[in-house]
Amino acid sequence: AVAGYAVRMLDVLAVLAGLTLVVLVFVDAFATTLLVAVGAGPFTRRLLGAIWRLLLRFHTQDKPSFLLTGIGTSLLITTVLTWVLVLWAGWTLVFLGSGEVVHSQTRAPASPADVAYFTGFTIFTLGVGDFVADTSGWRLVTAAASFSGLSLVTLAITYLISVVSAVVARRSLAIHVYALGGSAADIIQRGWTGDRFSVAFTQQLVNITSEVAKTAEQHLAYPALHYFHTPQRHMSAPSAIAALDDALLMLSEGVAGQARPDESTTHPLRNVIERFLTTASVTAAIPDVAAPRVPTLTPLVDAGIPVVAADLFEDAVKRESDRRTSLRGLVNSDGWSWPQQGGSV
């Protein structure tokens, strides 16, 4: 009697453990793919962050890295496979604990290996009929398991396609920014006509605002996006946005008042960059870094652009120290160093 009671308790514990795994998988999958306000599920966030931080220890900044270049896709596939395997394990425990899986012809109880086989086919292919649940109640549970498996696979496929699209948009943003100039000073110099900033330049800043805003929200919707490293700086969104933000800082605080572009051009873009920094930081494994050095206004002076006194600009930059430090951490976490002051990519 005692032995029988112990076996029944083990069966109950197996069912409860299995249902717990199933629930945890869907909590993590839904949080990662559907709840755009949280960035990622608790398991996915920790797993991706831990793997990425480990890889960054072996990466040399600004050097091509085959390991980092391919890891985004690997992490994405690992996430989906983990969901699948944990769901499979969960339902296997449930059916093992039930003791209701039998051979469809002989009605002999299924072995643990047969239960795992039955569960896999049930949740991903609706089964093949050689093993079945023995009672009507557990047949309903089998139907629920089938629905959960097909739902997870559909969700995962949709998520994979969406992430690939977001990666393309993210790289397109970086290319757009670096087309304006290879550095903060270069961006400003190219927009200067000799006596003012061109209308085409200010319109480019307006146009790029929506691209940055879209990428900012994609980072929150698709937490794996940050882990798609590019081997070329001109396709790195964090590096491009850091250069763009310094250019906007120099435009709004370094260029003399009469020559500055209207705030309606620069202020909205700075706001969406702040949003990008916030959303990207939700999932990115950002290291502790020192504040970047104060950018020099010398290239602007050489280009004939009116500038403010150096001490006034330095004070303005120091007020932005926290923001620039966070941006530098985001750039470093993408495998790159802080963008150079001058020159091009």
Side-chain angles (χ1 to χ4, degrees):
V2 174
Y5 176 77
V7 170
R8 287 194 296 273
M9 286 301 299
L10 286 175
D11 289 341
V12 170
L13 289 175
V15 172
L16 292 176
L19 290 175
T20 299
L21 288 178
V22 171
V23 171
L24 290 177
V25 165
F26 275 96
V27 167
D28 192 79
F30 284 151
T32 301
T33 61
L34 298 178
L35 300 182
V36 296
V38 300
F43 175 78
T44 296
R45 181 171 60 251
R46 289 174 174 81
L47 175 65
L48 298 186
I51 294 175
W52 187 255
R53 283 190 293 270
L54 177 63
L55 293 176
L56 283 177
R57 293 181 181 180
F58 301 97
H59 171 67
T60 302
Q61 287 183 349
D62 303 333
K63 296 293 184 181
S65 171
F66 175 79
L67 182 62
L68 287 187
T69 301
I71 197 60
T73 301
S74 300
L75 288 177
L76 191 59
I77 294 174
T78 298
T79 299
V80 173
L81 287 179
T82 300
W83 291 340
V84 168
L85 291 175
V86 175
L87 182 70
W88 189 352
W91 280 117
T92 297
L93 286 174
V94 170
F95 287 115
L96 273 175
S98 74
E100 295 290 341
V101 180
V102 298
H103 194 280
S104 60
Q105 300 297 323
T106 65
R107 316 307 291 183
S111 67
D114 290 333
V115 172
Y117 157 81
F118 161 79
T119 303
F121 270 101
T122 296
I123 62 178
F124 301 124
T125 66
L126 298 179
V128 294
D130 48 352
F131 288 91
V132 296
D134 199 30
T135 62
S136 58
W138 280 99
R139 292 190 190 105
L140 291 176
V141 175
T142 301
S146 297
F147 177 76
S148 71
L150 294 176
S151 298
L152 183 65
V153 170
T154 302
L155 192 67
I157 292 174
T158 303
Y159 182 66
L160 290 173
I161 294 173
S162 298
V163 170
V164 171
S165 177
V167 170
V168 173
R170 185 175 186 254
R171 292 183 177 181
S172 176
L173 167 64
I175 292 172
H176 188 173
V177 171
Y178 274 123
L180 299 179
S183 67
D186 196 26
I187 291 172
I188 297 173
Q189 288 172 308
R190 291 188 182 187
W192 183 251
T193 62
D195 58 354
R196 61 183 176 84
F197 288 100
S198 69
V199 174
F201 172 69
T202 56
Q203 187 59 48
Q204 286 278 12
L205 297 182
V206 171
N207 292 341
I208 211 168
T209 301
S210 61
E211 293 184 53
V212 177
K214 179 180 179 180
T215 300
E217 296 312 304
Q218 286 176 330
H219 266 279
L220 196 58
Y222 312 118
L225 187 59
H226 179 75
Y227 306 112
F228 280 81
H229 174 79
T230 171
Q232 297 173 300
R233 182 186 285 273
H234 75 274
M235 293 193 295
S236 168
S239 182
I241 287 179
L244 178 63
D245 193 63
D246 257 10
L248 294 173
L249 179 59
M250 296 169 75
L251 280 171
S252 59
E253 300 291 348
V255 175
Q258 72 275 12
R260 292 175 187 170
D262 192 274
E263 277 196 3
S264 62
T265 300
T266 57
H267 189 67
L269 184 50
R270 292 214 79 202
N271 281 343
V272 297
I273 289 177
E274 178 72 26
R275 177 60 179 172
F276 172 86
L277 181 59
T278 300
T279 58
S281 299
V282 171
T283 54
I286 297 181
D288 293 328
V289 295
R293 68 170 187 246
V294 176
T296 176
L297 296 177
T298 301
L300 276 59
V301 174
D302 293 342
I305 303 174
V307 298
V308 301
D311 58 337
L312 293 178
F313 178 62
E314 184 174 348
D315 289 341
V317 172
K318 288 180 178 178
R319 291 194 296 269
E320 300 288 336
S321 178
D322 289 344
R323 175 189 177 106
R324 297 180 76 239
T325 300
S326 297
L327 276 169
R328 184 177 191 176
L330 190 60
V331 171
N332 289 170
S333 73
D334 194 43
W336 297 97
S337 62
W338 185 253
Q340 296 299 311
Q341 181 63 46
S344 58
V345 178

